[in-house]
Amino acid sequence: MSRYVERNENDQLDAGTKPADPLPELQLPDPALAGNISIEQTLAQRRSIRSYSDNPLSLSNVSQILWAAQGMTMDKFFRTAPSAGALYPLEVYLIAGNVRGLDVGVYRYAPARHSLIRICDGDRRDELCKASLSQPHIRDAAAVVVIAADYSRTTVKYGTRGIRYVHIEGGCAAENICLQGMSLGIGTCVTGAFDDAKVASILNLPANEDPLLILSIGYV
Ligand SMILES: Cc1cc2nc3c(=O)[nH]c(=O)nc-3n(C[C@H](O)[C@H](O)[C@H](O)COP(=O)(O)O)c2cc1C
């Protein structure tokens, strides 16, 4: 049975206040709220990992990683990462290459429904690697997460100071992914060296969004 769900006009809007778009949407498995390793051990053992096994990521682990980045909590009032003024400027994209049960392609995470919206087909890891100074861990990872931002959601309230807030939030979401990955046996590497325009083009980002950082993810 297809995992893709039909949406209707009554669907809750994304927290980014985007109207539901007509692209295919995949419901993700519910995130787990308990793990096998303490937060202290996770902090002590976290490292940037740049080489990965060939094992496909499970969809439940991908779901967990995306939830850690920007999942909704507390009856959907808040998220797993803090946000200045609770304005939530971040958008999280998944570039799937080797994920069991997920076609290769680019997806946007929709926090409100804990779902993935398919943006485009095809394996984009090699292109993304080239756009990232040919750093091989981007091509070799089972999947890649790109955290993008719509600065205006925050600067409308905080002015130019909001630019700093958005960058801080990107770091918070990225660290959540690193720690969640560590607890699941998934290696991650925060990657800041890339060509913004090329990454935006590969992901087909809307004009109001800029890529902030990239994380490669794959089993160790
Ligand atoms: C903002 C930022 C940008 C980074 N950019 C890259 C990068 O482009 N390529 C890379 O391999 N690692 C990158 N890293 C990872 C660092 O190299 C890594 O965190 C550092 O060597 C310390 O190692 P550790 O993460 O294992 O503690 C980046 C880390 C941060 C925080």
Side-chain angles (χ1 to χ4, degrees), residues 74-184:
M74 309 284 286
D75 286 334
K76 300 196 170 183
F77 279 113
F78 297 104
R79 298 199 187 179
T80 47
S83 176
L87 292 168
Y88 302 113
L90 304 184
E91 294 288 342
V92 179
Y93 290 85
L94 180 79
I95 294 81
N98 188 17
V99 180
R100 195 176 295 119
L102 194 59
D103 293 339
V104 293
V106 177
Y107 299 81
R108 179 165 56 81
Y109 178 57
R113 293 178 297 279
H114 189 56
S115 62
L116 282 176
I117 295 163
R118 193 161 70 200
I119 306 291
C120 48
D121 298 328
D123 190 344
R124 306 300 172 109
R125 289 175 297 175
D126 196 42
E127 274 176 89
L128 206 54
C129 167
K130 287 181 182 133
S132 309
L133 279 56
S134 294
Q135 298 185 73
H137 62 273
I138 302 293
R139 185 195 55 228
D140 299 342
V144 182
V145 172
V146 175
I147 299 178
D150 176 352
Y151 287 97
S152 69
R153 293 181 203 161
T154 303
T155 55
V156 70
K157 178 170 184 186
Y158 296 109
T160 53
R161 185 91 183 161
I163 295 167
R164 181 193 299 222
Y165 293 167
V166 171
H167 295 164
I168 293 169
E169 290 183 35
C172 293
E175 181 70 351
N176 281 6
I177 290 177
C178 293
L179 296 177
Q180 181 70 79
M182 176 65 228
S183 81
L184 297 170

Side-chain angles (χ1 to χ4, degrees), residues 45-50 132-133 135 137-138 178 188-194 212-214 216:
Q45 292 174 29
R46 183 210 61 79
R47 286 273 72 77
S48 293
I49 304 293
R50 299 176 182 82
S132 309
L133 279 56
Q135 298 185 73
H137 62 273
I138 302 293
C178 293
T188 59
C189 185
V190 171
T191 304
F194 58 83
L212 290 186
L213 61 97
I214 296 177
S216 48

